[in-house]
């Protein structure tokens, strides 16, 4: 179940990144609206320590700031190279249930 959710999140992130890199902002923003509930569902249903959960806050704040400032290339890079990488390390096969 976790891997299926993670694969769905990766698919959505890939679509957002593709749209932002092509400067198809409306499409990317629509996909971003789909990403938020998927991430929320994964992060609330799976075991994760409070400190591990807090590690995501600065990254999500940077992402929100990039979108707010209309810096969609930075937002795409944050999604692809930071957020997705962190989600995979937390919820991927080696990271499931990991507490730090």
């Amino acid at each position: 179940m976790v891997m299926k959710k993670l694969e769905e999140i990766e698919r959505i992130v890939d679509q957002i990144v593709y749209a932002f890199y092509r400067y198809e902002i409306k499409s990317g923003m629509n996909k971003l609206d789909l990403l938020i509930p998927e991430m929320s569902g994964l992060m609330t249903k799976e075991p994760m320590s409070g400190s591990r959960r807090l590690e995501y806050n600065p990254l999500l704040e940077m992402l929100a700031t990039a979108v707010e400032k209309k810096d969609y290339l930075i937002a795409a890079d944050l999604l692809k190279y930071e957020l997705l990488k962190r989600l995979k390390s937390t919820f991927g096969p080696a990271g499931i249930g990991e507490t730090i």
Side-chain angles (χ1 to χ4, degrees), residues 8-39 60 63 66-67 71-81 83-84 87:
E8 178 63 13
I9 289 170
E10 184 172 11
R11 185 186 65 76
I12 295 170
V13 166
D14 287 344
Q15 291 173 347
I16 296 167
V17 168
Y18 180 79
F20 282 173
Y21 284 168
R22 294 177 52 84
Y23 219 70
E24 297 170 356
I25 305 309
K26 186 172 180 150
S27 174
M29 292 301 288
N30 288 338
K31 297 293 183 185
L32 191 57
D33 286 342
L34 297 175
L35 177 66
I36 294 166
E38 289 292 331
M39 278 186 45
L60 295 173
L63 179 60
V67 169
D71 196 341
Y72 300 107
L73 296 178
I74 294 293
D77 285 349
L78 287 170
L79 285 167
K80 184 173 184 177
Y81 299 113
L83 182 66
L84 195 56
L87 287 170

Side-chain angles (χ1 to χ4, degrees), residues 58-69:
L59 177 57
L60 295 173
E61 288 174 8
M62 285 190 293
L63 179 60
T65 300
V67 169
E68 182 180 300
K69 292 184 176 188

